[in-house]
Amino acid sequence: MKAARIVNPFETEVVELDEPQIGDDDLLMRVKAAGICGTDIHILKGEYALARFPMVPGHEFSGEVVAVGKNVTRFKPGDRVTADPNIPCNRCENCQRNEPNQCQNLQAVGVTRDGAFAEYLSVPEAVTFPIGEMSYQDAALIEPLACVVWGLQRVQIQAGDRVLIFGAGPMGALLAQAMAAAGASQVDITDLVPWRLSVMGELGVDHAILSDEFPKQAKALAPQGYEVVVDCTGVPAVLEQAVTYARPRGKIWVFGVAPDKAMAKFSPYEIFRKDLSIIGSFAVNRTFHESIMMIQSGKINLRPLVSHQLPLADFEEGLRLAQEDPQRMKVQFVI
């Protein structure tokens, strides 16, 4: 089968590999769509500690079942599916505490084991979900939305909260819509790229403002500050601004993935004085079902989120677009 690999940091190739073998509890999927995530870029740059090389990345995907192991009962060839890329052991202390995303033996498709930037992919039945008639393009966005849903459960948005999001990329777009659906009364977003901000108007964002202009407008938009401030960029210098814009007893949500050795500086006194909470959310935590239901309900508009679709042969170009194109949202490979 054809597959795209990161051999070492900044070194990629498209190669022929053997088709994956499946165990008794696994299924074999013919990948139809797979999206590039910011985590994939960190892996490319050697900035993601969990990754190993060489690696076939890709953890946002959908496809068609082509074969199943003898113990698989919920799926058959021809079924349209996606899968949670995080595979917990279900035996360690963290799994037993219902914290599978913190599993001490966690496997992750496209990070610790080969992923979906390939024609075929093997995944356990236990983490596989049916997508019905949802398009493969939309279904490859279930995993990013599931990350948002897990974060919403962590942050516990309250009715009437005012929210500020740093970063108007595809994750910021999903966050903005999910925040509004969860009860936020005002969702504002800021970014460096005017084109991305123009897309936010289609998604019901209240105010989409260029980063250079936002400090001058913040006081008028939220005189006491925002109840929830979200960093969706993974840039430490951006995250450092969150304390400034959070209202007393506000929450700072660390959502964007920073390089694993990056550091951010805060004023401990400000966090103390304003009764602030800093909340992280890592990956997903059994939130695929909720994500699928949100998409099927029509409350999440995915149409503007996919800006580029390429064949797998253009792997290097896809990575370039995902990092450099000013008019990019989600870049997907159609396989």
Side-chain angles (χ1 to χ4, degrees), residues 3 7 22 103 131 162 179 250:
V7 182
I22 60 171
C103 172
I131 62 171
R162 288 162 296 183
M179 291 284 201

Side-chain angles (χ1 to χ4, degrees), residues 16 27 90 115 179 219 292:
E16 289 291 330
L27 55 83
N90 293 318
M179 291 284 201
K219 194 70 174 177
I292 291 169

Side-chain angles (χ1 to χ4, degrees), residues 15-228:
V15 294
E16 289 291 330
L17 298 177
D18 292 337
E19 187 177 297
Q21 299 299 304
I22 60 171
D24 293 343
D25 300 308
D26 302 332
L27 55 83
L28 184 66
M29 177 192 308
R30 179 182 291 113
V31 180
K32 294 291 189 176
I36 299 176
C37 172
T39 301
D40 298 318
I41 303 303
H42 284 303
I43 293 172
L44 173 69
K45 295 178 179 179
E47 296 174 343
Y48 199 67
L50 297 178
R52 63 167 179 81
F53 299 104
M55 166 56 52
V56 176
H59 59 271
E60 307 173 359
F61 56 86
S62 62
E64 177 187 357
V65 177
V66 295
V68 299
K70 69 178 184 180
N71 294 335
V72 173
T73 59
R74 295 172 49 238
F75 300 98
K76 64 184 185 305
D79 285 348
R80 299 160 53 85
V81 297
T82 187
D84 184 340
N86 300 288
I87 306 169
C89 71
N90 293 318
R91 295 186 301 274
C92 71
E93 178 181 343
N94 290 350
C95 285
Q96 291 178 333
R97 290 167 53 90
N98 197 31
E99 300 168 353
N101 67 325
Q102 297 296 333
C103 172
Q104 294 166 334
N105 307 297
L106 186 68
Q107 294 186 56
V109 173
V111 181
T112 67
R113 55 188 276 172
D114 282 345
F117 294 161
E119 292 180 300
Y120 294 94
L121 176 67
S122 171
V123 290
E125 178 190 24
V127 298
T128 302
F129 294 80
I131 62 171
E133 296 305 309
M134 188 186 304
S135 72
Y136 289 119
Q137 171 183 304
D138 286 355
L141 289 164
I142 290 170
E143 191 274 345
L145 182 56
C147 294
V148 171
V149 173
W150 168 233
L152 285 176
Q153 293 179 12
R154 293 272 293 142
V155 174
Q156 298 184 342
I157 295 293
Q158 303 299 306
D161 278 353
R162 288 162 296 183
V163 176
L164 170 63
I165 301 170
F166 287 101
M171 297 308 299
L174 290 173
L175 272 160
Q177 295 179 81
M179 291 284 201
S185 64
Q186 178 180 326
V187 179
D188 299 340
I189 196 162
T190 181
D191 198 283
L192 292 166
V193 183
W195 179 83
R196 283 186 162 186
L197 293 172
S198 70
V199 174
M200 296 301 108
E202 300 181 48
L203 304 177
V205 170
D206 293 286
H207 305 98
I209 304 168
L210 279 169
S211 301
D212 289 346
E213 299 174 4
F214 181 76
K216 295 177 286 188
Q217 301 186 35
K219 194 70 174 177
L221 295 172
Q224 302 302 318
Y226 292 86
E227 280 77 17
V228 181

